[in-house]
């Protein structure tokens, strides 16, 4: 096992920023990389906003908030990950850019550093295969919104060694998550169940002609879901959900994995959910 003193996060979108927030709150020096300084600053503002809300609600001391924000260093250069013991990748959900990134990280990070991917539906093994040290590549799959959702799936790829795997597991616990150990099977555990389930929900919308509001009310009040399926797909992002569905369908060939045409049409029209201001619902 490696003692993680410094962590790197590649990509500070909704997931990367959420993971960075968890790390700095847990007292870990964190280097966050975005492709431009502006995007980095935007992520820092987002993190600062959520930590300020915690102060306002009495969940965090102002001094602790400021110290946490001070632990985040922004960069645009991968070379700044040289001193990191663990790097967590949260870039675009496509195989080739991830493979290129891992090949580059391998040449920058020390030989003991653990390289983790937050991929939700791609193969960790295929990402690891872009490196010559696949034994130190592992999946750390967080859920959206990362600061609020307790789970992290720790994914063992074909060649992941025990040390890096347990390092990732221990780090998940250290930043306050509930980790589970799983293998590199399509969708791991939760998405293998959740993605076809959400696709079913969207198909039910068309079959039963209910409104998104009524479907959401139904699942919240009849099945105990914390939020309805339409609100959840809006939160995850219609594009992200369609992409994950396509990736799982490609691997399993199960019809329920395939994205419903309604979601594909929404994605094509730019109705991406909360992030674009409109999906099943409208957002300010
Ligand atoms: N990052 C950090 N903090 C956040 C945040 C974010 N993205 N979003 C909200 N918060 C903070 C806010 O400060 C908020 O408080 P204020 O509104 O007072 O500022 C605080 O958290 C609480 O927010 P809510 O009142 O909205 O919290 P809630 O009690 O209603 O719970 C929830 C919200 C945890 C999202 C809950 O609705 C829930 O569990 N929903 C289900 C989410 C889910 O299933 N996620 C999994 C998606 S699938 C996935 O991620 C897999 C994949 O690979 C695609």
């Amino acid at each position: 096992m490696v003692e993680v003193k410094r962590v790197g996060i590649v990509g500070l979108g909704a997931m990367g920023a959420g993971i960075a927030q968890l790390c700095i709150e847990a007292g870990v020096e964190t280097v966050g990389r975005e492709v431009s300084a502006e995007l980095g600053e935007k992520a820092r503002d987002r993190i600062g906003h959520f930590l300020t809300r915690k102060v306002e609600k009495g969940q965090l001391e102002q001094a602790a908030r400021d110290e946490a924000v001070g632990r985040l260093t922004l960069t645009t250069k991968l070379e700044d990950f040289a001193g990191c013991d663990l790097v967590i990748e949260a870039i675009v959900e496509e195989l080739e850019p991830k493979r290129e990134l891992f090949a580059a990280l391998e040449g920058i990070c020390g030989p003991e550093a653990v390289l983790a991917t937050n991929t939700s539906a791609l193969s960790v093994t295929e990402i690891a295969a872009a490196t010559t040290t696949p034994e130190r590549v592992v999946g750390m799959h967080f859920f959206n919104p990362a600061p609020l959702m307790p789970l992290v799936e720790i994914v063992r790829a074909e060649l992941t060694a025990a040390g890096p795997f347990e390092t990732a597991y221990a780090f998940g616990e250290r930043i306050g998550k509930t980790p589970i150990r799983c293998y590199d099977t399509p969708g791991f555990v939760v998405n293998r169940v959740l993605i076809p389930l959400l696709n079913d929900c969207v198909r039910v919308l068309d079959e039963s002609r209910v409104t998104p509001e009524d479907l959401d009310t139904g699942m919240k009040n009849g099945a105990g879901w914390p939020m309805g399926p339409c609100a959840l797909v809006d939160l995850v992002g219609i594009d992200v959900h369609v992409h994950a569905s396509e990736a799982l369908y490609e691997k399993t060939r199960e019809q329920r994995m395939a994205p419903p045409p309604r979601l594909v049409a929404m994605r094509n029209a730019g109705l991406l959910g909360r992030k674009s201001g409109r999906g099943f619902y409208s957002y300010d």
Side-chain angles (χ1 to χ4, degrees):
M1 290 240 297
V2 173
E3 192 198 338
V4 179
K5 297 203 192 91
R6 198 174 174 82
V7 70
I9 312 287
V10 201
L12 297 174
M15 293 307 294
I19 299 165
Q21 180 183 326
L22 288 164
C23 295
I24 59 174
E25 276 193 86
V28 185
E29 289 299 325
T30 303
V31 182
R33 187 256 186 178
E34 254 304 346
V35 288
S36 72
E38 280 134 330
L39 285 175
E41 289 300 339
K42 209 172 141 195
R44 195 191 335 243
D45 288 349
R46 178 187 169 92
I47 293 168
H49 161 79
F50 286 124
L51 292 180
T52 298
R53 286 293 300 147
K54 286 183 101 168
V55 174
E56 286 164 356
K57 290 189 282 187
Q59 296 166 353
L60 188 68
E61 296 290 332
Q62 180 69 44
R65 178 222 175 265
D66 296 342
E67 278 166 28
V69 173
R71 285 187 202 106
L72 178 64
T73 311
L74 296 175
T75 184
T76 55
K77 297 196 216 85
L78 288 180
E79 288 70 25
D80 288 334
F81 291 129
C84 292
D85 311 295
L86 167 68
V87 177
I88 305 174
E89 166 275 313
I91 65 165
V92 59
E93 189 65 349
E94 281 169 26
L95 189 58
E96 270 324 305
K98 288 192 196 282
R99 284 173 52 89
E100 278 169 27
L101 174 69
F102 276 71
L105 286 175
E106 181 175 38
I108 291 166
C109 301
E112 297 298 317
V114 175
L115 306 180
T117 172
N118 178 51
T119 186
S120 54
L122 300 175
S123 157
V124 182
T125 303
E126 285 178 47
I127 296 169
T131 72
T132 59
T133 49
E135 62 279 359
R136 55 151 150 181
V137 178
V138 61
M140 286 187 82
H141 179 220
F142 292 83
F143 291 76
N144 191 355
L148 304 186
M149 296 298 289
L151 186 68
V152 56
E153 291 175 325
I154 308 298
V155 184
R156 188 193 292 270
E158 285 302 318
L159 298 175
T160 308
F165 186 72
E166 293 305 328
T167 297
Y169 187 97
F171 190 73
E173 278 187 323
R174 184 170 156 203
I175 60 174
K177 296 287 111 175
T178 302
I180 59 170
R181 294 181 176 85
C182 48
Y183 287 90
D184 190 23
T185 50
F188 316 132
V189 175
V190 173
N191 276 348
R192 173 70 180 79
V193 176
L194 189 58
I195 286 185
L197 192 54
L198 289 173
N199 286 339
D200 278 348
C201 289
V202 175
R203 290 187 184 104
V204 165
L205 270 184
D206 294 326
E207 285 164 21
S208 63
R209 287 175 281 146
V210 293
T211 61
E213 287 84 353
D214 278 350
L215 177 63
D216 281 3
T217 301
M219 294 308 287
K220 278 195 292 183
N221 294 287
W225 287 27
M227 66 200 296
C230 298
L232 182 54
V233 178
D234 272 359
L235 171 73
V236 167
I238 309 282
D239 53 337
V240 172
H241 179 83
V242 166
H243 196 280
S245 298
E246 285 166 343
L248 288 190
Y249 178 63
E250 200 180 297
K251 290 199 169 79
T252 63
R253 293 287 152 194
E254 276 183 39
Q255 205 52 47
R256 287 177 68 230
M257 298 292 179
R262 180 182 180 128
L263 285 183
V264 176
M266 287 172 76
R267 191 265 319 264
N268 293 346
L271 303 181
L272 306 182
R274 281 197 196 191
K275 68 177 141 189
S276 73
R278 216 175 129 199
F280 286 103
Y281 300 101
S282 291
Y283 302 87
D284 295 332

